[in-house]
Amino acid sequence: MSTILTHSGIYFDLLEPKIDDIKIEDIAHALAFSSRFNGHGKFFYSIAEHSVLGAWNIAAKEAKAFLLHDAAEAYIGDIVRPLKKLLQPYLEPIEQRIEKLVMEKFQVDIYSPAVQTMDRMMLALEQVQVMG
C-alpha cells in the first residue's frame, strides 16, 4: 500500500499522487508539526517556520514559491541529507512527482535560483542558530 492518511482525512498516494489531493491545509499542518534537523536542534524549529522566515526575506515575487519549496515533505517527511542521498534512487522520483504537482497547482517555481539560494543561506544560518 502506498497511501498515507493526511490531516484533512484524504488518502494520499505516494506513488501516484493526484493534484486534487494536494491540500494547502495538509501542507501547512504537517510542516508546522515537522522539525528541521530531524529534531536535533537546541529547540523546536519547524519546517513551516523556516518557510515563513525565508518568505519574509526573499523578493516578493518569490515568496509564495519559498513558502511551498518544502511542501513535498508534508507527504514524505523531512529526511536528513545524508540519508536522502543514500535513498536517492528510490526517494527522488517520488519527491519530484509531488513537487511537480505542487508547482502546477500553486503556479510556483520551487527550483528557481532565488529560492534555492535563500534555502542554502537559511541552512547556514539555521545550523548556527538552531544547532549551535
Side-chain angles (χ1 to χ4, degrees):
M1 182 174 235
S2 64
T3 61
I4 61 167
L5 180 60
T6 67
H7 177 68
S8 67
I10 64 161
Y11 284 93
F12 184 88
D13 192 327
L14 296 167
L15 297 179
E16 295 182 32
K18 295 174 185 62
I19 197 165
D20 291 338
D21 290 342
I22 293 179
K23 310 279 187 205
I24 196 68
E25 58 267 31
D26 286 333
I27 294 168
H29 180 85
L31 297 185
F33 279 80
S34 300
S35 180
R36 292 274 286 166
F37 305 107
N38 210 26
H40 292 285
K42 295 185 290 185
F43 52 87
F44 179 77
Y45 178 61
S46 73
I47 298 168
E49 187 173 0
H50 157 82
S51 297
V52 169
L53 290 173
W56 285 345
N57 289 289
I58 200 169
K61 66 179 184 165
E62 300 283 357
K64 185 176 172 184
F66 198 85
L67 281 172
L68 291 163
H69 80 285
D70 283 332
E73 294 176 9
Y75 303 101
I76 63 168
D78 184 21
I79 300 166
V80 293
R81 285 178 191 242
L83 181 57
K84 199 171 201 175
K85 285 181 183 179
L86 293 171
L87 297 175
Q88 187 173 5
Y90 308 101
L91 183 62
E92 191 172 276
I94 296 167
E95 183 175 32
Q96 286 179 348
R97 276 193 293 275
I98 296 169
E99 288 173 340
K100 181 180 174 195
L101 291 176
V102 166
M103 291 191 295
E104 182 181 337
K105 180 163 189 151
F106 298 107
Q107 297 298 296
V108 295
D109 179 7
I110 63 172
Y111 301 133
S112 79
V115 169
Q116 297 302 305
T117 298
M118 177 59 71
D119 199 29
R120 285 190 300 275
M121 288 174 31
M122 290 196 62
L123 175 62
L125 290 169
E126 291 164 347
Q127 285 177 328
V128 171
Q129 295 174 347
V130 178
M131 298 302 291

